Amino acid sequence: MRVLAVVPARGGSVGVPLKNLEKVGGVPLVARAVDACLRAELVDDVIVSTDHERIAEVAEGAGARVVRRPAELSGPAASSESAVLHALSEIAGEAPEIVVLVQCTSAFLDPRDLDAAVAKVLDGEADSVFSGTETYEFVWTGAGHGVNHDPAVRPRRQDREPDFRETGAFYVMRTEGLRERGHRFFGRVAVQPVPTRHAVEIDTPEDLEIARALAPFVDEPLPIDVDAVVTDFDGVHTDDRAFVDSDGREMVAVSRSDGMGIALLRRAGVKVLVLSTERNPVVAARAAKLGVPVVQGLGAKDVALREWLATEGLAPERVAYVGNDVNDLSCMAIVGWPVAVPDAHPRVRAAARVVLSAPGGAGAVRELSDRVLAARPAASVETATATAAAAPAPVTAPVTGLGHLGQPRPVRIGRSLVGPGQPVYVIGEIGINHNGDVDIARKLIDVAADAGCQAVKFQKRTPEICVPLEQRDQIRQTPWGEMTYMEYKIRTEFGADEYAHIAKYCDERGIDWFASPWDVPSVDFLEDMDVVAHKVASASVTDHELLRALAATRKPVILSTGMSTIEEIDAAVEILGTERLVMMHATSTYPLPPEEANLRMITTLQQRYGVPVGYSGHERGLQISLAAVTLGAVTVERHITLDRAMWGSDHAASLEPTGLDHLVRDIRIIETALGDGVKRVYPGEEAPRARLRRVTA
């Protein structure tokens, strides 16, 4: 054992009683910490040091070894170092070279950050490493003295070097140094930067509420491995509204895709139950239609759930329960996978391990079904799919799974959700239009941010890999004089310093940035820059080595489909998977003539692959991009330039600042105008209706 992680988790806590057992994302904090350590590639073993029986039980269930901490080391005055040193003294054999102190109070530990910090110590870069997040805050003493600044000089953020705030999440130390010094900071101390979204430290009930609210947006979506699914009815199978006719009969609206999801679950051997506090013939009729049991008129839903679990012989931890209101909380506390719809009561969202993206009555059950099926053995899923596919489908079934049968789930990219029901995600494609000049890149970022784009995109190449041998020595006339094509490509390629500047400036402007990597080393480069997503250029759809490298990042991927056959796209999606995939319909003609736009492919791609689909345009003008939005494009990407007359291959097919302003403005107008498809009489129609109608219904 070279690297040991120790998680101190005593039972006492002043701010939040039994804090280490509190759940965030439906999982106890101590179990979240253990899971992060076990998923870190460089951590060999995990020990939880505790004085509390229930914490020990949860820790062992999560996969950790447990060391019982004596009372003298379990009080509020005991240091975390004392717990680590005690744990080291309790293990048999040779002491590990490195020990990692991991604190449960940081709910959002990323195993990749742990590995990066451990690597710094293993490689001799540091003796002690702590997790920290960049901050540009001005810090003051209570007496009004500046701590990290001169109050008389207030430099701009971009002119300051960042400080780092200690997050308290983890500390990596050489074991020998810890034993000699008795303290976590010694020798060469380094910081391991972690994203701000991971830097929530839970010390108070308010901190706990914040972490629970953030969990659905920070935690990576995982397959839900269960043997049974139990659902509430109102607000889950419906949108929580009821329509009452003149005879007092109730009707509700349900989603056909939910029905298909239930059918697929049953065919895959997953048990399903509907629980409802109300006794309503509508509930019984829908359950009968779905072919699932229903229990209604319940005073205590948790009692009925426990009885059903016992009757069916189901382990509660292998069950998912999806609810929306406070009367679901008791059931959610029983099961291993408490699930909430996005518009659920705040207390229900806080108790959920998973918060779905589709609302009740609009695909929530189907979304849950897809995630349950994603965790099932391939044979059961294939059987369920084959049975469901007996009915004729509008397009050839894809090679990638079940997503095409329901509404695509939104994909989180940076600050935004990208998918149906979300604002169109507008990407300003800077590409290579910066001409190798960071100042031009900054101006184009300003253009995109000022227009209201959510992201800008660049292109990243390793010229020595990407430039064909026969083109390298060709002479080009450039703004910098005559040079070979290879020299030109190297001259215009940004490196780490330039992209660090771009990342910092995009953060200041509140806009996402990412790039299209054209080779595997460029994927590694962009991962080091911690981009929010990756884009696959149309030219790279058949580069399977590149696609496998992108899939391994576990980041969202935007796949452009220009110049590709449907078979080539199938093969790409087979490698990338559909969990974090957004597709872009594109035609790679520059500039694009209208007759080659083929916008109906947006619908075809969505039906075939079951993922959000957008449009990447190379046309002149705005009409085709705006039409794409009316056909359901969830993201629109257009090349942008300061001036179409600038030197470079892509400027002529790009939008200038005014054109981009108009594009974003018109997209937002179209979003508003599309409405929700429910026929109603609007307030503006009331006066003409009263004045012009001779006969009322």
Side-chain angles (χ1 to χ4, degrees):
M1 180 174 57
R2 195 175 186 191
V3 180
L4 171 68
V6 178
V7 184
R10 63 190 183 90
S13 175
V14 177
V16 181
L18 280 178
K19 175 171 56 181
N20 295 315
L21 290 176
E22 289 288 348
K23 292 182 178 181
V24 171
V27 180
L29 286 171
V30 66
R32 291 178 69 100
V34 170
D35 177 69
C37 295
L38 291 174
R39 288 190 290 124
E41 293 182 2
L42 297 181
V43 174
D44 299 313
D45 199 4
V46 185
I47 286 178
V48 170
S49 167
T50 187
D51 61 334
H52 193 275
E53 285 301 319
R54 178 57 183 155
I55 292 176
E57 181 183 340
V58 171
E60 288 177 338
R65 290 196 287 158
V66 171
V67 168
R68 306 290 173 163
R69 199 188 317 183
E72 61 269 21
L73 297 180
S74 301
S79 68
S80 297
E81 285 90 340
S82 67
V84 175
L85 291 167
H86 173 260
L88 288 170
S89 70
E90 291 293 300
I91 60 176
E94 188 176 346
E97 177 183 346
I98 293 170
V99 63
V100 186
L101 164 59
V102 176
Q103 305 208 112
C104 304
T105 48
S106 285
F108 304 117
L109 286 165
D110 189 328
R112 291 167 294 191
D113 291 332
L114 282 172
D115 281 333
V118 170
K120 288 179 179 177
V121 181
L122 284 174
D123 295 344
E125 182 181 334
D127 300 300
S128 173
V129 179
F130 69 93
S131 59
T133 188
E134 269 193 11
T135 178
Y136 293 84
E137 298 169 340
F138 291 117
V139 180
W140 294 78
T141 68
H145 301 298
V147 174
N148 63 344
H149 68 288
D150 179 353
V153 180
R154 304 285 287 191
R156 299 176 305 169
R157 177 188 176 100
Q158 58 265 39
D159 297 328
R160 300 173 60 206
E161 289 298 320
D163 293 314
F164 283 88
R165 175 174 64 82
E166 190 178 331
T167 70
F170 57 81
Y171 304 83
V172 181
M173 301 157 280
R174 293 194 183 280
T175 304
E176 182 181 355
L178 173 65
R179 282 177 162 164
E180 287 179 0
R181 309 295 179 85
H183 194 273
R184 70 190 77 177
F185 298 110
F186 52 85
R188 293 162 298 172
V189 178
V191 62
Q192 175 57 44
V194 300
T196 303
R197 65 182 182 277
H198 292 169
V200 178
E201 181 79 357
I202 301 173
D203 288 318
T204 67
E206 291 76 16
D207 296 333
L208 183 60
E209 289 181 16
I210 291 170
R212 284 171 169 168
L214 286 174
F217 304 101
V218 177
D219 287 346
E220 293 186 3
L222 298 172
I224 298 173
D225 186 13
V226 294
D227 301 318
V229 169
V230 183
T231 76
D232 184 25
F233 187 76
D234 292 323
V236 175
H237 289 266
T238 78
D239 62 3
D240 220 16
R241 296 184 301 166
F243 303 91
V244 183
D245 67 13
S246 58
D247 295 324
R249 291 174 299 193
E250 284 191 6
M251 292 179 291
V252 296
V254 296
S255 168
R256 290 187 183 277
S257 69
D258 285 351
M260 177 60 76
I262 293 292
L264 290 169
L265 286 176
R266 293 177 59 226
R267 291 164 187 159
V270 179
K271 296 181 183 295
V272 182
L273 173 70
V274 175
L275 290 179
S276 178
T277 54
E278 294 187 20
R279 186 172 296 281
N280 191 321
V282 171
V283 181
R286 181 58 177 166
K289 174 80 172 178
L290 297 174
V292 300
V294 59
V295 181
Q296 296 190 71
L298 297 171
K301 296 171 80 170
D302 56 328
V303 174
L305 176 59
R306 290 185 189 278
E307 290 177 353
W308 185 75
L309 295 177
T311 300
E312 296 292 335
L314 292 165
E317 63 272 15
R318 300 277 305 163
V319 176
Y321 181 96
V322 56
N324 76 307
D325 217 330
V326 292
N327 62 352
D328 295 307
L329 288 170
S330 59
C331 291
M332 295 173 72
I334 294 172
V335 300
W337 285 88
V339 181
V341 292
D343 53 351
H345 188 280
R347 287 175 59 196
V348 175
R349 285 177 57 93
R353 184 172 180 179
V354 172
V355 177
L356 302 169
S357 57
V365 176
R366 179 51 196 271
E367 179 183 341
L368 176 67
S369 301
D370 283 350
R371 290 181 63 174
V372 170
L373 290 167
R376 305 293 287 176
S380 68
V381 175
E382 288 169 4
T383 301
T385 309
T387 309
V395 294
T396 304
V399 296
T400 52
L402 301 166
H404 67 293
L405 296 172
Q407 181 81 327
R409 296 190 297 272
V411 174
R412 175 160 292 282
I413 298 179
R415 300 166 172 84
S416 304
L417 284 173
V418 180
Q422 306 296 327
V424 173
Y425 190 74
V426 185
I427 305 167
E429 160 79 86
I430 294 174
I432 57 175
N433 280 354
H434 51 72
N435 288 353
D437 188 325
V438 174
D439 188 52
I440 293 176
R442 282 171 59 98
K443 290 176 180 177
L444 288 169
I445 292 167
D446 285 335
V447 166
D450 291 344
C453 294
Q454 288 100 320
V456 291
K457 188 188 82 69
F458 294 83
Q459 295 179 21
K460 179 59 184 167
R461 293 173 172 86
T462 305
E464 294 79 4
I465 296 175
C466 293
V467 178
L469 289 173
E470 64 274 13
Q471 296 182 19
R472 294 185 178 188
D473 295 327
Q474 293 179 1
I475 300 300
R476 293 286 300 266
Q477 300 299 326
T478 76
W480 311 281
E482 188 177 272
M483 60 180 64
T484 66
Y485 186 64
M486 175 66 89
E487 290 171 335
Y488 153 67
K489 295 304 292 183
I490 292 173
R491 169 66 178 76
T492 56
E493 191 66 45
F494 283 160
D497 290 344
E498 291 86 357
Y499 274 115
H501 186 88
I502 285 166
K504 184 177 179 182
Y505 194 64
C506 285
D507 186 54
E508 291 169 7
R509 290 306 316 265
I511 191 169
D512 295 336
W513 81 276
F514 49 91
S516 296
W518 286 65
D519 50 78
V520 172
S522 292
V523 176
D524 297 334
F525 176 92
L526 293 170
E527 280 294 282
D528 288 341
M529 303 305 301
D530 196 25
V531 292
V532 298
H534 294 284
K535 172 81 185 297
V536 178
S538 293
S540 301
V541 170
T542 55
D543 187 342
H544 292 180
E545 181 187 15
L546 175 66
L547 300 185
R548 283 189 287 270
L550 290 172
T553 69
R554 304 284 292 169
K555 292 275 182 71
V557 173
I558 302 172
L559 175 67
S560 210
T561 59
M563 68 175 80
S564 303
T565 66
I566 202 71
E567 292 77 18
E568 289 169 343
I569 299 170
D570 278 351
V573 176
E574 182 75 21
I575 294 170
L576 294 171
T578 58
E579 185 179 354
R580 299 176 183 84
L581 182 65
V582 176
M583 302 185 79
M584 301 289 271
H585 167 56
T587 302
S588 300
T589 307
Y590 294 77
L592 172 70
E595 61 271 19
E596 294 185 11
N598 194 15
L599 292 180
R600 288 195 174 92
M601 272 300 299
I602 294 170
T603 303
T604 300
L605 291 172
Q606 180 177 311
Q607 290 177 336
R608 185 175 182 83
Y609 300 104
V611 300
V613 177
Y615 172 70
S616 180
H618 310 115
E619 71 274 9
R620 292 189 175 100
L622 308 180
Q623 299 94 328
I624 295 174
S625 293
L626 296 173
V629 174
T630 67
L631 288 173
V634 299
T635 176
V636 170
E637 176 189 70
R638 291 293 301 271
H639 285 263
I640 61 175
T641 181
L642 300 177
D643 186 339
R644 281 198 297 271
M646 289 178 69
W647 185 88
S649 58
D650 288 348
H651 291 279
S654 302
L655 291 177
E656 293 179 336
T658 300
L660 185 64
D661 286 340
H662 290 171
L663 175 68
V664 178
R665 177 201 65 191
D666 292 349
I667 285 175
R668 301 307 172 212
I669 292 172
I670 289 171
E671 286 176 325
T672 302
L674 285 173
D676 58 10
V678 178
K679 183 59 182 166
R680 56 175 65 84
V681 177
Y682 286 94
E685 297 179 289
E686 294 291 355
R689 173 185 168 100
R691 184 174 69 253
L692 299 175
R693 279 230 168 124
R694 290 191 310 107
V695 179
T696 59

